Amino acid sequence: MIQQSTLNFLAVLKANNNRDWFQTNKAVYEHAHQNVIAFADSLLAKMRIHDHLETASGKASLFRIYADTRFSKEKAPYKTHFGIRFSRAGAQLRGGYYFHLEPGHSFMAGGFFAPNPDDLKRIREDISFNYDEWNALLTQPDFVDTFGELHGDAVKTAPKGFDQDHPAIELLRKKQFILRHPFTDEEVLRPDFVEKLDQTFQGLRPFFDYMSEVLTTDANGESIL
């Protein structure tokens, strides 16, 4: 389970985001880091029961805490959260899982963060021709209760080749297709949180299954693999 000391470390790091403080408290960081690795290992084991993942281990799933400041106006050297990412394995399984651990701002997310141009075109074609199916999937009551609306960056106008007046124009404009669910600190610290997070990730599967079918077939429904 996630320990209170791990959230405490992240909160204090946010107020002391400099190399001197971090080096002085390196042992505290290592303890928090190991706690998150253990949590990620437990989560990975549960998710492998119902999905095929290529992520090798909990440790391999963690993003580095060291911030890349080369091209950013923000020069704080450390991230003030832990990020866990799991990748699905095989060409037929699409979508990715992410968990963000940060005091007061923890959440899970999943979906398609950076579809390549061919995939994005195929997704938009399917939205255009099968909007009723998309609408039925994204407005299913349990789905909405868990994830709300579809998130992601979008272009400002209609993408090339698509009508500005299409009833699905808001979906067609999207460049990312992301679903999110927030968690309170109280939820994160519960002993059964790994089960709660696993169940929430399982809620993404109808969306992943549909998108996997779309991205492995052409507009006629023929396999492209």
Side-chain angles (χ1 to χ4, degrees), residues 70-85:
R70 293 173 298 172
F71 308 107
S72 174
K73 293 181 181 179
E74 175 57 60
K75 297 303 180 182
Y78 305 103
K79 301 171 186 174
T80 55
H81 65 271
F82 285 111
I84 295 171
R85 176 179 59 193

Side-chain angles (χ1 to χ4, degrees), residues 26 77 121 146 158 175 194:
K26 191 68 174 291
K121 180 181 178 183
T146 302
K175 300 186 293 182
V194 68

Side-chain angles (χ1 to χ4, degrees), residues 19 37 47 56-57 67 71 75 78 81 89 133-134 136 141-142 149-150 175 177 180 193 202 217:
R19 290 182 176 82
I37 288 174
M47 292 185 66
S57 66
F71 308 107
K75 297 303 180 182
Y78 305 103
H81 65 271
E133 291 185 48
W134 277 78
D142 288 344
E149 63 182 12
L150 194 65
K175 300 186 293 182
F177 302 85
R180 293 168 48 109
F193 178 64
Q202 288 187 55
T217 59

Side-chain angles (χ1 to χ4, degrees), residues 50-187:
H50 57 80
D51 204 350
H52 188 33
L53 303 176
E54 65 182 12
T55 305
S57 66
K59 184 176 182 179
S61 75
L62 261 66
F63 287 89
R64 287 165 52 86
I65 200 167
Y66 304 98
D68 186 350
T69 61
R70 293 173 298 172
F71 308 107
S72 174
K73 293 181 181 179
E74 175 57 60
K75 297 303 180 182
Y78 305 103
K79 301 171 186 174
T80 55
H81 65 271
F82 285 111
I84 295 171
R85 176 179 59 193
F86 294 144
S87 299
R88 304 182 83 201
Q92 291 185 319
L93 298 179
R94 301 300 181 91
Y97 302 99
Y98 175 73
F99 174 58
H100 181 101
L101 179 65
E102 181 179 4
H105 301 284
S106 295
F107 64 89
M108 60 73 65
F112 301 81
F113 297 86
N116 64 49
D118 288 342
D119 282 353
L120 184 56
K121 180 181 178 183
R122 180 71 186 92
I123 293 168
R124 284 173 171 162
E125 287 175 347
D126 193 75
I127 293 171
S128 178
F129 290 119
N130 297 303
Y131 175 52
D132 288 345
E133 291 185 48
W134 277 78
N135 189 56
L137 174 64
L138 296 177
T139 59
Q140 202 276 333
D142 288 344
F143 198 81
V144 173
D145 286 346
T146 302
F147 301 112
E149 63 182 12
L150 194 65
H151 299 272
D153 293 339
V155 297
K156 293 183 179 179
T157 59
K160 184 177 180 180
F162 296 93
D163 188 349
Q164 179 69 44
D165 296 324
H166 194 289
I169 189 59
E170 293 304 314
L171 279 175
L172 290 169
R173 290 175 53 241
K174 288 194 176 295
K175 300 186 293 182
Q176 298 176 310
F177 302 85
I178 302 168
L179 293 161
R180 293 168 48 109
H181 180 84
F183 297 104
T184 65
D185 289 355
E186 182 182 6
E187 288 177 303

